Amino acid sequence: MEKKPHFVRREFPPREVSSVSLALLLAAILLLNALLYLYINKFYISLGRTETDPGLCPFGYFKLGAVKNCSPWLSCEAINREVRKLKCVGEGAVKKVFLSEWKENKVVLSQLTNSELKEDFLHGLKMLKALQSKHVVRLLGYCVQQFTILTEYHPLGSLRGLNETLHIPKYKGMNTWHRRLMLAIDYVSVIRYLHSSPLGTLVMCDSNDLDKVLSQYLLTSDFHILVNDLDALPLVNRSAGRLVKCGHRELQGEFVAPEQRWPYGEEVPFEDDLMPPYDEKTDIWKIPDVSNFFLGHVEGSDIVRLHLFDIHAACKKKDPAERPSAQEVLDTYRKVLTLLIREAAMPGTREML
């Protein structure tokens, strides 16, 4: 009888294959985490979130466009001789703003319009000079005698036009949860800088409603945020018992913090002298509302809101002392960004493990 050939099928032990696969998967995850770390770190650097910037000039100097050398702030004489007004692009309670030209560069010339508010104008100039950093619009020159200030021009304008800008075909690629969260991080970074500025703890008082807040900030061409209007920026000094009040009129509405509202009810007429002062935690109260505007209604924005729910609830604590600091909010925002980028890059990783 002919014997049938006997084939022996070799099988690798399943445990050995599983171990190799698991090791390769873990190595891939570690590599991807390292790449994500470098990617996110590069993003933070590109945002210019540090207060110092190698591109900045020494105090009293600036550089514009592709020019490598720093120039001294323009004086009254230089502004009158070298700056040419093109058109009026805005007017507020304190100043009128002109798109202008200096040595083939578009610049912004601001001029006082109400002599009764010259102290506010000069305070804004003082803040602008002292706070020059990656968070603040670049000062190019000023003339105290003529109440004029010259600053860098940003064609995308204030944050009030953000949604319109994001619908322009050129910028539609920026209209993502990721880029919008980066803008919110930018905004909180500015608040953090003001609360720990070289001058001390400063409060952003021109912020009684969302539209007013957005008008105080500029959107740069590379989609970062700069604070532009510093006319109402009082100083808190707890050790000296110095708190602030944002103006001398009654503030109303849910946007302003509870401590900014008249505490004695409708039966007692408002009197500025009876209104208690407050501190920088009023800025913290407003962060969730401003960030909600930034996040918009794009795909993924609701997931971001869900991750920010706890920190935003803390920002809305009625007692200002229970609200987090701007630094704590910023740290949370950055952690959420890192987490969501990692989850977007590695979907299903937990199930694989």
Side-chain angles (χ1 to χ4, degrees):
M1 182 184 292
E2 185 179 355
K3 292 184 178 181
K4 294 181 180 180
H6 180 63
F7 295 101
V8 178
R9 185 169 61 182
R10 297 182 63 189
E11 294 183 357
F12 291 100
R15 188 172 298 173
E16 183 179 340
V17 174
S18 176
S19 299
V20 171
S21 299
L22 183 59
L24 289 173
L25 178 60
L26 289 173
I29 291 172
L30 289 173
L31 177 61
L32 192 51
N33 272 327
L35 292 172
L36 279 170
Y37 172 81
L38 293 173
Y39 172 73
I40 294 168
N41 190 53
K42 182 179 179 182
F43 250 158
Y44 288 150
I45 293 173
S46 72
L47 273 175
R49 294 306 89 202
T50 55
E51 273 61 77
T52 57
D53 171 33
L56 287 176
C57 296
F59 182 79
Y61 290 78
F62 73 93
K63 60 182 177 181
L64 199 59
V67 178
K68 294 183 178 180
N69 297 326
C70 295
S71 304
W73 286 337
L74 301 185
S75 63
C76 296
E77 181 185 358
I79 291 175
N80 291 333
R81 184 180 66 247
E82 301 172 11
V83 176
R84 181 170 65 94
K85 290 181 185 177
L86 298 178
K87 64 178 179 178
C88 179
V89 292
E91 183 173 2
V94 179
K95 53 187 178 285
K96 186 178 287 188
V97 180
F98 297 90
L99 175 63
S100 306
E101 191 175 56
W102 175 73
K103 295 187 176 180
E104 299 182 353
N105 293 290
K106 285 187 170 62
V107 294
V108 173
L109 186 70
S110 303
Q111 289 187 315
L112 178 68
T113 54
N114 186 345
S115 60
E116 294 180 0
L117 298 175
K118 65 181 181 181
E119 292 303 321
D120 291 338
F121 184 89
L122 293 175
H123 177 74
L125 173 58
K126 176 184 175 182
M127 294 294 105
L128 194 54
K129 290 164 63 179
L131 298 176
Q132 284 295 289
S133 68
K134 288 288 289 185
H135 304 284
V136 179
V137 69
R138 189 169 300 166
L139 178 63
L140 309 179
Y142 62 91
C143 179
V144 173
Q145 294 91 325
Q146 298 173 7
F147 294 100
T148 58
I149 299 174
L150 195 70
T151 54
E152 188 174 15
Y153 172 64
H154 293 280
L156 295 183
S158 80
L159 288 176
R160 285 189 294 189
L162 174 64
N163 288 324
E164 290 74 13
T165 298
L166 288 171
H167 283 95
I168 298 173
K170 178 181 178 181
Y171 298 111
K172 277 190 174 180
M174 298 285 195
N175 196 17
T176 64
W177 70 262
H178 173 266
R179 179 56 63 176
R180 283 176 170 270
L181 178 55
M182 298 293 279
L183 289 175
I185 289 174
D186 256 11
Y187 168 71
V188 177
S189 296
V190 173
I191 299 298
R192 189 278 313 268
Y193 175 64
L194 295 178
H195 287 185
S196 57
S197 82
L199 300 177
T201 302
L202 299 167
V203 181
M204 194 65 175
C205 266
D206 258 345
S207 56
N208 298 335
D209 57 63
L210 179 61
D211 192 65
K212 187 64 174 175
V213 170
L214 299 175
S215 71
Q216 309 301 304
Y217 297 85
L218 295 172
L219 181 64
T220 67
S221 296
D222 54 354
F223 268 68
H224 301 314
I225 291 174
L226 299 173
V227 62
N228 180 51
D229 196 330
L230 304 174
D231 293 345
L233 211 60
L235 178 69
V236 167
N237 188 337
R238 284 193 186 82
S239 60
R242 182 194 299 170
L243 299 177
V244 304
K245 287 192 287 187
C246 291
H248 304 288
R249 295 179 297 176
E250 183 178 1
L251 301 179
Q252 297 177 326
E254 292 298 314
F255 188 83
V256 297
E259 64 271 22
Q260 292 184 281
R261 302 172 210 153
W262 180 242
Y264 303 117
E266 294 181 1
E267 62 277 5
V268 180
F270 176 82
E271 286 188 41
D272 184 42
D273 291 340
L274 297 179
M275 180 67 198
Y278 34 83
D279 62 18
E280 77 281 1
K281 290 299 184 73
T282 58
D283 289 334
I284 304 300
W285 171 273
K286 298 160 189 172
I287 286 176
D289 299 292
V290 180
S291 290
N292 187 54
F293 167 80
F294 285 130
L295 292 175
H297 300 285
V298 297
E299 182 180 356
S301 62
D302 286 341
I303 299 297
V304 178
R305 286 186 179 90
L306 183 63
H307 281 81
L308 295 177
F309 180 85
D310 289 341
I311 191 67
H312 283 174
C315 291
K316 291 293 187 179
K317 294 280 188 180
K318 187 172 182 180
D319 183 355
E322 295 181 4
R323 295 173 205 153
S325 67
Q327 183 64 61
E328 290 171 322
V329 178
L330 180 59
D331 290 342
T332 301
Y333 275 38
R334 285 175 169 172
K335 287 177 184 175
V336 168
L337 175 64
T338 303
L339 172 67
L340 292 178
I341 289 178
R342 184 181 290 123
E343 288 184 352
M346 297 185 297
T349 300
R350 290 180 183 175
E351 289 78 3
M352 291 170 67
L353 291 173

